[in-house]
Amino acid sequence: MKYISSKDIKLGTCLIVLHGISIMGGFIKWPLFIFAGIFMFFYIILDRHRLRCPNCGGFENLDRLNYAKKHVFHCRHCGERINIL
Ligand SMILES: [Zn+2]
């Protein structure tokens, strides 16, 4: 697989947004902190398996991946072009 799936990027973005909302909600109702932890956990798994450079496994943050959807994008670590499909 020489590309990153844009569905995975969307899913990752959703998980981060849900995590943020749960953190804020946690100050009102503390059990939401547990959900925040769960969302973060799934995000970390997704990130490890699907949101890395397909060539070198280098980490890219979501901002850069979202940018990469519309632009030619090269990995910061190995310089290889990353395709988003
Ligand atoms: Zn790379």
Side-chain angles (χ1 to χ4, degrees):
M1 188 177 80
K2 285 281 180 193
Y3 63 89
I4 296 174
S5 153
S6 68
K7 266 190 218 139
D8 290 337
I9 297 171
K10 247 182 236 155
L11 182 63
T13 309
C14 283
L15 286 170
I16 286 296
V17 169
L18 287 169
H19 171 76
I21 292 168
S22 304
I23 289 279
M24 282 187 280
F27 289 109
I28 301 160
K29 284 195 187 291
W30 71 264
L32 282 170
F33 280 127
I34 297 166
F35 286 99
I38 293 167
F39 290 134
M40 201 61 201
F41 177 73
F42 281 117
Y43 173 74
I44 289 165
I45 292 174
L46 180 74
D47 174 81
R48 282 244 175 100
H49 293 279
R50 310 302 296 271
L51 300 179
R52 299 288 167 115
C53 168
N55 300 295
C56 69
F59 170 79
E60 294 294 349
N61 68 35
L62 280 172
D63 285 346
R64 281 174 64 85
L65 289 172
N66 277 308
Y67 170 87
K69 282 189 210 164
K70 295 196 183 92
H71 301 82
V72 175
F73 181 71
H74 295 271
C75 173
R76 263 187 296 195
H77 307 278
C78 65
E80 282 287 329
R81 184 165 174 197
I82 298 175
N83 295 307
I84 312 283
L85 294 178

